[in-house]
Amino acid sequence: PETRFNSEGTYLQQSFGAKNEVVSTASGTWRAYGDSLRLVQMKPETIITSFGLEMKKDEMTLKQMVDFDGDKEKDDVMRLVMRKE
């Protein structure tokens, strides 16, 4: 997916198919609180998500505890690294 964070506190996330067509879109608001980032997705449905946040000059790393292995425990770390182009 491609995510664009706008300076007025909104974001747009799009996923693309094999022919580079948009197959899904999500949008909402964002706000940074110190070392945390909170996303409030408004479309297509309301979902509130928080991440640990690390910022560098042209890079943002988000961390969140999730259940990758299906053991019903959020004890696995998901790390998303985004770079400015």
Side-chain angles (χ1 to χ4, degrees):
E2 177 181 293
T3 305
R4 295 187 184 270
F5 291 91
N6 300 307
S7 61
E8 72 274 1
T10 62
Y11 74 92
L12 175 67
Q13 182 179 59
Q14 295 179 307
S15 296
F16 299 90
K19 296 179 182 177
N20 207 32
E21 75 279 13
V22 176
V23 295
S24 67
T25 300
S27 62
T29 60
W30 68 269
R31 185 160 180 188
Y33 299 92
D35 62 354
S36 298
L37 176 68
R38 182 175 184 203
L39 301 180
V40 179
Q41 177 182 302
M42 302 304 287
K43 295 180 181 179
E45 60 185 309
T46 301
I47 301 172
I48 300 172
T49 309
S50 294
F51 297 91
L53 173 65
E54 293 177 17
M55 297 289 295
K56 295 182 182 174
K57 182 179 179 186
D58 291 328
E59 184 176 283
M60 176 171 66
T61 301
L62 304 177
K63 294 181 187 176
Q64 186 179 51
M65 299 302 291
V66 297
D67 179 18
F68 272 131
D69 54 14
D71 64 358
K72 299 183 180 167
E73 297 288 332
K74 291 185 178 182
D75 56 357
D76 307 301
V77 177
M78 175 178 64
R79 180 175 298 165
L80 305 168
V81 177
M82 299 180 190
R83 292 184 180 92
K84 184 178 178 182
E85 292 187 2

